[in-house]
Amino acid sequence: MTLKVTAKGFELPDYMEAHIESEFAKFDKFQVVFHSRNVFMKLEPGRQFIVEIAVKTSVGDIEASADEKELSEALSAAFARLERQIIKKKEKPLAHRSELNERDKENFLKEEEASAEAAADIVIAENNK
């Protein structure tokens, strides 16, 4: 899992990359495997920060963006939008299976959890090389 942070039009503070990494760590609770993570930040002429986040995950490709007067506010808004999209993509398969009985829903959840654990094991193995 790679993290690429790009800043255009301003100097990125040293602590900001660690802050972005900690924001991504909050997504561990969703059991989503990130294959790539790109964060692009730009300062517009009117002192407007634009933050765009593009990720490739086990639930699909997701993009989120926000623009605010302060960099930290733009980052927070973009990560909040990313979180909502991840939740939506994870819950969508269950929403379309309303005709399934409870046992089938439980089996579907177990299969999805097992595939997420297998993907996480692969990533861990790659990182340990």
Side-chain angles (χ1 to χ4, degrees):
M1 127 178 71
T2 60
L3 173 62
K4 182 179 178 186
V5 179
T6 307
K8 184 177 179 184
F10 68 100
E11 185 69 31
L12 188 67
D14 294 336
Y15 66 89
M16 194 56 72
E17 194 162 339
H19 174 70
I20 292 169
E21 188 70 45
S22 69
E23 286 288 332
F24 274 112
K26 293 178 184 176
F27 294 114
D28 290 344
K29 65 184 174 188
F30 296 117
Q31 297 179 344
V32 174
V33 177
F34 288 97
H35 303 295
S36 71
R37 304 172 296 174
N38 297 314
V39 179
F40 179 74
M41 297 173 272
K42 184 166 91 171
L43 177 61
E44 287 291 315
R47 298 285 306 162
Q48 186 84 357
F49 286 97
I50 298 174
V51 175
E52 297 174 354
I53 303 171
V55 295
K56 292 183 186 222
T57 68
S58 57
V59 295
D61 297 348
I62 303 172
E63 294 180 4
S65 64
D67 56 337
E68 297 286 338
K69 294 275 185 200
E70 295 292 326
L71 178 59
S72 60
E73 292 175 4
L75 272 171
S76 295
F79 274 107
R81 289 178 181 155
L82 182 66
E83 181 177 357
R84 285 194 302 270
Q85 289 183 29
I86 288 174
I87 292 169
K88 183 177 179 181
K89 287 218 178 214
K90 279 197 60 93
E91 298 295 325
K92 192 170 185 175
L94 295 177
H96 294 293
R97 298 179 181 271
S98 60
E99 67 275 359
L100 293 177
N101 62 29
E102 287 301 315
R103 188 189 72 210
D104 290 339
K105 284 182 185 179
E106 288 175 13
N107 289 338
F108 178 78
L109 288 173
K110 287 179 184 176
E111 289 173 11
E112 194 169 273
E113 183 178 313
S115 67
E117 288 176 0
D121 289 342
I122 292 171
V123 170
I124 290 171
E126 289 176 359
N127 289 338
N128 289 336
K129 286 183 181 178

PDB file of all heavy atoms in Angstrom, residues 93-116:
ATOM      1  N   PRO A  93     -23.801  -3.937  -1.156  1.00  0.00           N
ATOM      2  CA  PRO A  93     -24.186  -5.314  -1.479  1.00  0.00           C
ATOM      3  C   PRO A  93     -25.274  -5.853  -0.557  1.00  0.00           C
ATOM      4  O   PRO A  93     -26.119  -6.627  -0.979  1.00  0.00           O
ATOM      5  CB  PRO A  93     -22.896  -6.107  -1.297  1.00  0.00           C
ATOM      6  CG  PRO A  93     -21.816  -5.121  -1.478  1.00  0.00           C
ATOM      7  CD  PRO A  93     -22.370  -3.829  -0.941  1.00  0.00           C
ATOM      8  N   LEU A  94     -25.279  -5.445   0.695  1.00  0.00           N
ATOM      9  CA  LEU A  94     -26.305  -5.923   1.625  1.00  0.00           C
ATOM     10  C   LEU A  94     -27.655  -5.282   1.351  1.00  0.00           C
ATOM     11  O   LEU A  94     -28.697  -5.900   1.538  1.00  0.00           O
ATOM     12  CB  LEU A  94     -25.883  -5.630   3.065  1.00  0.00           C
ATOM     13  CG  LEU A  94     -24.639  -6.357   3.544  1.00  0.00           C
ATOM     14  CD1 LEU A  94     -24.287  -5.925   4.949  1.00  0.00           C
ATOM     15  CD2 LEU A  94     -24.833  -7.846   3.475  1.00  0.00           C
ATOM     16  N   ALA A  95     -27.663  -4.038   0.889  1.00  0.00           N
ATOM     17  CA  ALA A  95     -28.914  -3.329   0.641  1.00  0.00           C
ATOM     18  C   ALA A  95     -29.702  -3.967  -0.492  1.00  0.00           C
ATOM     19  O   ALA A  95     -30.924  -3.945  -0.496  1.00  0.00           O
ATOM     20  CB  ALA A  95     -28.642  -1.865   0.332  1.00  0.00           C
ATOM     21  N   HIS A  96     -29.012  -4.547  -1.454  1.00  0.00           N
ATOM     22  CA  HIS A  96     -29.691  -5.146  -2.606  1.00  0.00           C
ATOM     23  C   HIS A  96     -30.055  -6.607  -2.377  1.00  0.00           C
ATOM     24  O   HIS A  96     -30.540  -7.259  -3.277  1.00  0.00           O
ATOM     25  CB  HIS A  96     -28.814  -5.020  -3.849  1.00  0.00           C
ATOM     26  CG  HIS A  96     -28.629  -3.603  -4.274  1.00  0.00           C
ATOM     27  ND1 HIS A  96     -29.645  -2.824  -4.751  1.00  0.00           N
ATOM     28  CD2 HIS A  96     -27.544  -2.809  -4.271  1.00  0.00           C
ATOM     29  CE1 HIS A  96     -29.203  -1.627  -5.035  1.00  0.00           C
ATOM     30  NE2 HIS A  96     -27.915  -1.586  -4.745  1.00  0.00           N
ATOM     31  N   ARG A  97     -29.856  -7.076  -1.211  1.00  0.00           N
ATOM     32  CA  ARG A  97     -30.156  -8.477  -0.912  1.00  0.00           C
ATOM     33  C   ARG A  97     -31.258  -8.585   0.147  1.00  0.00           C
ATOM     34  O   ARG A  97     -31.223  -9.433   1.005  1.00  0.00           O
ATOM     35  CB  ARG A  97     -28.895  -9.194  -0.450  1.00  0.00           C
ATOM     36  CG  ARG A  97     -27.831  -9.221  -1.516  1.00  0.00           C
ATOM     37  CD  ARG A  97     -26.595  -9.907  -1.009  1.00  0.00           C
ATOM     38  NE  ARG A  97     -25.569  -9.918  -2.017  1.00  0.00           N
ATOM     39  CZ  ARG A  97     -25.430 -10.875  -2.928  1.00  0.00           C
ATOM     40  NH1 ARG A  97     -26.247 -11.883  -2.941  1.00  0.00           N
ATOM     41  NH2 ARG A  97     -24.465 -10.807  -3.808  1.00  0.00           N
ATOM     42  N   SER A  98     -32.227  -7.728   0.047  1.00  0.00           N
ATOM     43  CA  SER A  98     -33.283  -7.714   1.051  1.00  0.00           C
ATOM     44  C   SER A  98     -34.131  -8.980   1.017  1.00  0.00           C
ATOM     45  O   SER A  98     -34.754  -9.343   2.008  1.00  0.00           O
ATOM     46  CB  SER A  98     -34.181  -6.490   0.868  1.00  0.00           C
ATOM     47  OG  SER A  98     -34.770  -6.520  -0.405  1.00  0.00           O
ATOM     48  N   GLU A  99     -34.144  -9.677  -0.107  1.00  0.00           N
ATOM     49  CA  GLU A  99     -34.930 -10.902  -0.188  1.00  0.00           C
ATOM     50  C   GLU A  99     -34.242 -12.101   0.459  1.00  0.00           C
ATOM     51  O   GLU A  99     -34.845 -13.147   0.634  1.00  0.00           O
ATOM     52  CB  GLU A  99     -35.270 -11.224  -1.652  1.00  0.00           C
ATOM     53  CG  GLU A  99     -34.082 -11.601  -2.512  1.00  0.00           C
ATOM     54  CD  GLU A  99     -33.348 -10.413  -3.104  1.00  0.00           C
ATOM     55  OE1 GLU A  99     -33.738  -9.271  -2.878  1.00  0.00           O
ATOM     56  OE2 GLU A  99     -32.341 -10.646  -3.788  1.00  0.00           O
ATOM     57  N   LEU A 100     -32.993 -11.948   0.834  1.00  0.00           N
ATOM     58  CA  LEU A 100     -32.276 -13.029   1.494  1.00  0.00           C
ATOM     59  C   LEU A 100     -32.782 -13.219   2.923  1.00  0.00           C
ATOM     60  O   LEU A 100     -33.150 -12.262   3.590  1.00  0.00           O
ATOM     61  CB  LEU A 100     -30.779 -12.733   1.555  1.00  0.00           C
ATOM     62  CG  LEU A 100     -30.023 -12.707   0.235  1.00  0.00           C
ATOM     63  CD1 LEU A 100     -28.578 -12.317   0.497  1.00  0.00           C
ATOM     64  CD2 LEU A 100     -30.095 -14.027  -0.474  1.00  0.00           C
ATOM     65  N   ASN A 101     -32.771 -14.438   3.372  1.00  0.00           N
ATOM     66  CA  ASN A 101     -33.138 -14.663   4.771  1.00  0.00           C
ATOM     67  C   ASN A 101     -31.925 -14.405   5.659  1.00  0.00           C
ATOM     68  O   ASN A 101     -30.829 -14.165   5.178  1.00  0.00           O
ATOM     69  CB  ASN A 101     -33.700 -16.084   4.961  1.00  0.00           C
ATOM     70  CG  ASN A 101     -32.693 -17.159   4.617  1.00  0.00           C
ATOM     71  OD1 ASN A 101     -31.495 -16.958   4.738  1.00  0.00           O
ATOM     72  ND2 ASN A 101     -33.183 -18.317   4.200  1.00  0.00           N
ATOM     73  N   GLU A 102     -32.107 -14.440   6.939  1.00  0.00           N
ATOM     74  CA  GLU A 102     -31.050 -14.082   7.889  1.00  0.00           C
ATOM     75  C   GLU A 102     -29.830 -14.994   7.775  1.00  0.00           C
ATOM     76  O   GLU A 102     -28.695 -14.539   7.855  1.00  0.00           O
ATOM     77  CB  GLU A 102     -31.581 -14.113   9.322  1.00  0.00           C
ATOM     78  CG  GLU A 102     -32.503 -12.974   9.656  1.00  0.00           C
ATOM     79  CD  GLU A 102     -31.826 -11.620   9.473  1.00  0.00           C
ATOM     80  OE1 GLU A 102     -30.678 -11.450   9.915  1.00  0.00           O
ATOM     81  OE2 GLU A 102     -32.460 -10.742   8.875  1.00  0.00           O
ATOM     82  N   ARG A 103     -30.047 -16.291   7.559  1.00  0.00           N
ATOM     83  CA  ARG A 103     -28.924 -17.214   7.445  1.00  0.00           C
ATOM     84  C   ARG A 103     -28.059 -16.886   6.232  1.00  0.00           C
ATOM     85  O   ARG A 103     -26.829 -16.891   6.300  1.00  0.00           O
ATOM     86  CB  ARG A 103     -29.428 -18.649   7.354  1.00  0.00           C
ATOM     87  CG  ARG A 103     -28.306 -19.680   7.423  1.00  0.00           C
ATOM     88  CD  ARG A 103     -28.778 -21.070   7.111  1.00  0.00           C
ATOM     89  NE  ARG A 103     -29.028 -21.087   5.677  1.00  0.00           N
ATOM     90  CZ  ARG A 103     -29.938 -21.840   5.089  1.00  0.00           C
ATOM     91  NH1 ARG A 103     -30.699 -22.640   5.787  1.00  0.00           N
ATOM     92  NH2 ARG A 103     -30.115 -21.809   3.791  1.00  0.00           N
ATOM     93  N   ASP A 104     -28.687 -16.559   5.119  1.00  0.00           N
ATOM     94  CA  ASP A 104     -27.940 -16.201   3.918  1.00  0.00           C
ATOM     95  C   ASP A 104     -27.172 -14.898   4.111  1.00  0.00           C
ATOM     96  O   ASP A 104     -26.054 -14.750   3.614  1.00  0.00           O
ATOM     97  CB  ASP A 104     -28.881 -16.075   2.715  1.00  0.00           C
ATOM     98  CG  ASP A 104     -29.437 -17.421   2.268  1.00  0.00           C
ATOM     99  OD1 ASP A 104     -28.819 -18.451   2.591  1.00  0.00           O
ATOM    100  OD2 ASP A 104     -30.485 -17.430   1.591  1.00  0.00           O
ATOM    101  N   LYS A 105     -27.768 -13.935   4.832  1.00  0.00           N
ATOM    102  CA  LYS A 105     -27.066 -12.683   5.104  1.00  0.00           C
ATOM    103  C   LYS A 105     -25.825 -12.934   5.960  1.00  0.00           C
ATOM    104  O   LYS A 105     -24.765 -12.363   5.707  1.00  0.00           O
ATOM    105  CB  LYS A 105     -27.987 -11.686   5.815  1.00  0.00           C
ATOM    106  CG  LYS A 105     -28.997 -11.047   4.904  1.00  0.00           C
ATOM    107  CD  LYS A 105     -29.824 -10.037   5.660  1.00  0.00           C
ATOM    108  CE  LYS A 105     -30.921  -9.473   4.770  1.00  0.00           C
ATOM    109  NZ  LYS A 105     -31.756  -8.511   5.481  1.00  0.00           N
ATOM    110  N   GLU A 106     -25.951 -13.806   6.961  1.00  0.00           N
ATOM    111  CA  GLU A 106     -24.817 -14.124   7.816  1.00  0.00           C
ATOM    112  C   GLU A 106     -23.710 -14.801   7.015  1.00  0.00           C
ATOM    113  O   GLU A 106     -22.525 -14.477   7.180  1.00  0.00           O
ATOM    114  CB  GLU A 106     -25.258 -15.015   8.974  1.00  0.00           C
ATOM    115  CG  GLU A 106     -26.090 -14.300  10.009  1.00  0.00           C
ATOM    116  CD  GLU A 106     -26.610 -15.227  11.091  1.00  0.00           C
ATOM    117  OE1 GLU A 106     -26.129 -16.384  11.179  1.00  0.00           O
ATOM    118  OE2 GLU A 106     -27.488 -14.805  11.844  1.00  0.00           O
ATOM    119  N   ASN A 107     -24.084 -15.730   6.130  1.00  0.00           N
ATOM    120  CA  ASN A 107     -23.090 -16.398   5.293  1.00  0.00           C
ATOM    121  C   ASN A 107     -22.401 -15.402   4.368  1.00  0.00           C
ATOM    122  O   ASN A 107     -21.186 -15.482   4.154  1.00  0.00           O
ATOM    123  CB  ASN A 107     -23.736 -17.512   4.468  1.00  0.00           C
ATOM    124  CG  ASN A 107     -24.138 -18.697   5.317  1.00  0.00           C
ATOM    125  OD1 ASN A 107     -23.606 -18.889   6.410  1.00  0.00           O
ATOM    126  ND2 ASN A 107     -25.081 -19.482   4.838  1.00  0.00           N
ATOM    127  N   PHE A 108     -23.151 -14.476   3.812  1.00  0.00           N
ATOM    128  CA  PHE A 108     -22.581 -13.454   2.934  1.00  0.00           C
ATOM    129  C   PHE A 108     -21.578 -12.603   3.699  1.00  0.00           C
ATOM    130  O   PHE A 108     -20.480 -12.326   3.203  1.00  0.00           O
ATOM    131  CB  PHE A 108     -23.699 -12.585   2.344  1.00  0.00           C
ATOM    132  CG  PHE A 108     -23.196 -11.485   1.461  1.00  0.00           C
ATOM    133  CD1 PHE A 108     -22.789 -11.761   0.173  1.00  0.00           C
ATOM    134  CD2 PHE A 108     -23.123 -10.187   1.927  1.00  0.00           C
ATOM    135  CE1 PHE A 108     -22.312 -10.751  -0.639  1.00  0.00           C
ATOM    136  CE2 PHE A 108     -22.652  -9.168   1.125  1.00  0.00           C
ATOM    137  CZ  PHE A 108     -22.247  -9.459  -0.170  1.00  0.00           C
ATOM    138  N   LEU A 109     -21.930 -12.208   4.923  1.00  0.00           N
ATOM    139  CA  LEU A 109     -21.021 -11.411   5.735  1.00  0.00           C
ATOM    140  C   LEU A 109     -19.753 -12.183   6.085  1.00  0.00           C
ATOM    141  O   LEU A 109     -18.655 -11.617   6.079  1.00  0.00           O
ATOM    142  CB  LEU A 109     -21.721 -10.934   7.005  1.00  0.00           C
ATOM    143  CG  LEU A 109     -22.778  -9.842   6.815  1.00  0.00           C
ATOM    144  CD1 LEU A 109     -23.511  -9.602   8.122  1.00  0.00           C
ATOM    145  CD2 LEU A 109     -22.127  -8.574   6.324  1.00  0.00           C
ATOM    146  N   LYS A 110     -19.896 -13.471   6.414  1.00  0.00           N
ATOM    147  CA  LYS A 110     -18.732 -14.286   6.741  1.00  0.00           C
ATOM    148  C   LYS A 110     -17.800 -14.427   5.546  1.00  0.00           C
ATOM    149  O   LYS A 110     -16.579 -14.351   5.682  1.00  0.00           O
ATOM    150  CB  LYS A 110     -19.171 -15.665   7.229  1.00  0.00           C
ATOM    151  CG  LYS A 110     -19.763 -15.652   8.622  1.00  0.00           C
ATOM    152  CD  LYS A 110     -20.206 -17.032   9.033  1.00  0.00           C
ATOM    153  CE  LYS A 110     -20.895 -16.988  10.389  1.00  0.00           C
ATOM    154  NZ  LYS A 110     -21.430 -18.299  10.767  1.00  0.00           N
ATOM    155  N   GLU A 111     -18.374 -14.620   4.355  1.00  0.00           N
ATOM    156  CA  GLU A 111     -17.553 -14.731   3.145  1.00  0.00           C
ATOM    157  C   GLU A 111     -16.819 -13.425   2.869  1.00  0.00           C
ATOM    158  O   GLU A 111     -15.639 -13.432   2.500  1.00  0.00           O
ATOM    159  CB  GLU A 111     -18.424 -15.097   1.939  1.00  0.00           C
ATOM    160  CG  GLU A 111     -18.953 -16.504   1.963  1.00  0.00           C
ATOM    161  CD  GLU A 111     -19.952 -16.760   0.841  1.00  0.00           C
ATOM    162  OE1 GLU A 111     -20.075 -15.915  -0.061  1.00  0.00           O
ATOM    163  OE2 GLU A 111     -20.584 -17.831   0.858  1.00  0.00           O
ATOM    164  N   GLU A 112     -17.500 -12.306   3.041  1.00  0.00           N
ATOM    165  CA  GLU A 112     -16.884 -11.013   2.794  1.00  0.00           C
ATOM    166  C   GLU A 112     -15.763 -10.748   3.805  1.00  0.00           C
ATOM    167  O   GLU A 112     -14.703 -10.235   3.456  1.00  0.00           O
ATOM    168  CB  GLU A 112     -17.936  -9.906   2.875  1.00  0.00           C
ATOM    169  CG  GLU A 112     -17.457  -8.594   2.315  1.00  0.00           C
ATOM    170  CD  GLU A 112     -18.589  -7.608   2.160  1.00  0.00           C
ATOM    171  OE1 GLU A 112     -19.245  -7.637   1.119  1.00  0.00           O
ATOM    172  OE2 GLU A 112     -18.763  -6.811   3.091  1.00  0.00           O
ATOM    173  N   GLU A 113     -15.981 -11.118   5.054  1.00  0.00           N
ATOM    174  CA  GLU A 113     -14.953 -10.939   6.083  1.00  0.00           C
ATOM    175  C   GLU A 113     -13.745 -11.814   5.796  1.00  0.00           C
ATOM    176  O   GLU A 113     -12.594 -11.378   5.938  1.00  0.00           O
ATOM    177  CB  GLU A 113     -15.538 -11.277   7.454  1.00  0.00           C
ATOM    178  CG  GLU A 113     -14.592 -11.055   8.603  1.00  0.00           C
ATOM    179  CD  GLU A 113     -15.249 -11.355   9.935  1.00  0.00           C
ATOM    180  OE1 GLU A 113     -16.376 -10.886  10.156  1.00  0.00           O
ATOM    181  OE2 GLU A 113     -14.618 -12.053  10.740  1.00  0.00           O
ATOM    182  N   ALA A 114     -13.988 -13.046   5.350  1.00  0.00           N
ATOM    183  CA  ALA A 114     -12.886 -13.955   5.037  1.00  0.00           C
ATOM    184  C   ALA A 114     -12.060 -13.431   3.865  1.00  0.00           C
ATOM    185  O   ALA A 114     -10.823 -13.502   3.882  1.00  0.00           O
ATOM    186  CB  ALA A 114     -13.424 -15.345   4.727  1.00  0.00           C
ATOM    187  N   SER A 115     -12.717 -12.876   2.854  1.00  0.00           N
ATOM    188  CA  SER A 115     -11.967 -12.342   1.715  1.00  0.00           C
ATOM    189  C   SER A 115     -11.163 -11.106   2.120  1.00  0.00           C
ATOM    190  O   SER A 115     -10.056 -10.903   1.635  1.00  0.00           O
ATOM    191  CB  SER A 115     -12.908 -12.021   0.545  1.00  0.00           C
ATOM    192  OG  SER A 115     -13.755 -10.957   0.868  1.00  0.00           O
ATOM    193  N   ALA A 116     -11.706 -10.287   3.014  1.00  0.00           N
ATOM    194  CA  ALA A 116     -10.971  -9.115   3.493  1.00  0.00           C
ATOM    195  C   ALA A 116      -9.759  -9.540   4.314  1.00  0.00           C
ATOM    196  O   ALA A 116      -8.684  -8.943   4.192  1.00  0.00           O
ATOM    197  CB  ALA A 116     -11.888  -8.217   4.324  1.00  0.00           C
TER     198      ALA A 116
END
